[in-house]
Every structure is written in structure tokens, then in C-alpha cells.
Amino acid sequence: MSLNVIHNATCTFCGCVCDDIELHSDETRIHEAKKACVLGKAWFLNHTADHDYPDALIDGREATVDEAIEAAATFLHDAHMPLIYGLSNTTCEAQREAVSLADRLGGLLDSHTSL
Amino acid sequence: MTCTLGEVKNRADFIVYWGGNPAECHPRHFTKYTLMQKSKFLPRGRKDRTMILVDIRETKSGGAADIFLQIRPGKDFEVLTILRAILKGQHVNSSIVAETGLTLEQMTDFIDRAKKARFGCMFFGMGLSMTRGKHMNSAALLTLAAELNAFTKFVAMPMRGHGNVTGADVIMRWQTGFPFGITFNRGYPRYNPGEFSTVDVLVRGDTDAALILGADPGATMPQPAIDHLARIPTIVLDPKVTHTSRLARVHITTSVAGISAPGTAYRMDEIPLPLKPALKSPYPTDEEVVRRINEAVARKPHWMPADGPMTIMQH
């Protein structure tokens, strides 16, 4: 098992987005998050690369990602007023795709900011 | 008016935290930016800075403050308005002051210190923006910061919570012209918080399908909003099976931004930072899944019947 060290990694737990974290990891988990605060340490150390959850669920039953994507597209397309919401704990690249999807659907688009 | 945290670190000698608890919610804010750092302009670091904490109760952040101003719950707008009156040299009725929990001396001292500062910055948290008065409170604080610029350099910045919520504002502003609370239902973006903001939409039952990503409204929203999410087809993208996933028709597990998904996140002062994931996830990224949903929707007939797509962006 090899140890991988990343310098100046970025923590996305809170709005500070500290970008000076030193991460020590192997293939499955992060063992150390130097310079991170108590919240950041918990954030980095509690996620693993394990397959802990099913790839996708449709009505509570396990499904493939392809099936779930098709089901999602059908639900959103069939709706008169679909809503896309959240967008905080994700990347700007995913946010951009979400704006594009809302535009195509003629739907609602909103984030945590409105809470 | 706002600035970067780098400017605060190097220049701000007067710091106010209003309705926030950075010691517990943003633990490195004091040490990296606002209090402890030394700079060319503040060579003695903490000794060259004054920090005032304004809140309705004493929190752990109180230990780092030079002055703690405990105000009565729900009186933020009144305090800010009195501060603005003092700044303008207007008479303030003592019965109004008495309602706020502060004395006229405390508020006059606040304004005297703010005017004498070389660079002031007010950080405001959800204790200001999510309590009675809501966005009117934020507007009052921003107006106070603007008016202080008649005397010195003064800025204000919201203390943003969740990781990349700032990025959501920035991306939506860039793509649509508006930061949140948007509808595309006429084929072009319109903005109206209260009408198009999610809690209101859900409580009124105005939406008939929802895609939730990077959030867990099932754990945080008011019950009537959660009840509506359970009534309609809800789709959740999340690294975990969440409260919202349990009431959803579709859940897709995705990789974790910054841990196993690459990309960009915005700091609270709107500085974009690259993510450096340490792990390889067995799951796809949010970006990939949303793009594939978008492609699947694009293969279906467009919702606007007459002349087809009328979108603002190139897909």
C-alpha cells in the first residue's frame, strides 16, 4: 500500500475553503489532514473510496446509473414546473451543468442562499 | 463593497463579527485572516487590530473579542439604524436605545472606533441575515458600511457556510444574471426571491418534480416543504444516502467534491480555488451525472412547443 501526499489541498467543508492542507492518503482513505481545523479533519478523514452505498436507487430498489439517469430525465421532462435546488456541496463545474439543465427544462433554479 | 480576505489580513485594523460564531463555524478565520496575522501595515498583528463581536448571546468567539456587544434577539435592524443615526450626528431617542439591550455610550464608542479605523471590515452571519428582518438586516449593515466610507475605508462580507455556496451564487450570476431564486419558465431567466425561492415554492406546492444536489433539504427545511418533496418525484445526487434520498424516487451516489471529485470551489470572498482530490471514487461526479441527465432531456421533445429552444446558453 503506497502513501500519497498532496500539498496545498483544498478543504470545502466551510466557506473559508482553506487551500493549505497537507493530505496523507492511501488508495481507500485519508489518514492525515495537516493544518486542517477540527471541522476539516472530520471532513477529510470520514470519507473513503469504498463502495459503501449502492450506485443508484429507484423507488428504494438498487438500479444502475444509466437507468437512474433515464428515470431522472423522464421525471424532470414530464414535470410542468421542475425545480433544481442545492448546489452548495458540489463543484462550480457541476453548478454550471445544473444551470444549463434548468435552462433546458424551463424550470426553477435555486441554492442554499435563499434559505 | 467588499474585498478579499487577503486585504483583510494585510490591512484591516477594525473587525466586526455580527451574528456569527467563527470560533466554532469557521475555526481558522481568526488565525488565517482577521486577527492573528502580522503584515506590513499591521506589524504587531493582533495588537494592531480591534475586534467587536455583536450577538444575542456570548459564544466561544467572545473569548477572541476586544468588545462584546450583547443585543436583544430580533433587534439587529434597530441597532444598525441607531448606529447610522449616530454616524450622521442625529439625536436618538433614549427609549428606542433601551429596547436594543445596548447603551448609547456603547453604540457611540462603536462608531468612534469605526471612524478612527484605517480599514474596517464587518463580517455578518446567519444570526443577522436569518432572523427577524432577514435581508433588511443585511441591507442595513451594508448601508452602514457604505456610509462609513465618508470617514474611512470600510467594507462588509457575509460569512458563508457550506463549502461552495459562494460558487453557486457566482455561477448563477455568470450564467443568468441572478444569484438564486430563478425561474426559466418563460424561456429566459427571471429572479424573485419569495416567489421562486425553494422553501416558498415547496410550501405552496408549486413544483411537480425536484432535482436536489449538494444539499439535504430533508434534514434542514421546514416540515411542509419536506412533505411536498415526498409527494412529488424527487431526484437526489449525493455521496451518501441522505434524509432526502429516503423520500426520493431516484437517488444517484456521486463522488465527494474536493475528496474524490476534481473541480473548482469559491472561497467566501469569491476567490476561486482548484480542488485536489486525494482519493479515487467508485462513483461518478455530480458534473458528469447532471450533464448526462441534461443530454437525456435534450433527446426528448422540447417543452416550448412553437419555435423550439429559446435558451440563453450554448449547451
Side-chain angles (χ1 to χ4, degrees), chain B residues 177-208:
Chain B
F178 306 116
F180 62 92
I182 298 159
T183 183
F184 287 95
N185 69 350
R186 288 184 188 164
Y188 55 88
R190 292 184 298 144
Y191 168 68
N192 196 8
E195 186 179 9
F196 307 134
S197 38
T198 300
V199 172
D200 305 275
V201 163
L202 290 174
V203 169
R204 287 196 308 266
D206 277 356
T207 179
D208 54 351

Side-chain angles (χ1 to χ4, degrees), chain A residues 32-44:
Chain A
E32 196 161 1
K34 284 187 182 169
K35 293 192 190 168
C37 68
V38 57
L39 302 172
K41 279 202 167 63
W43 166 250
F44 281 116

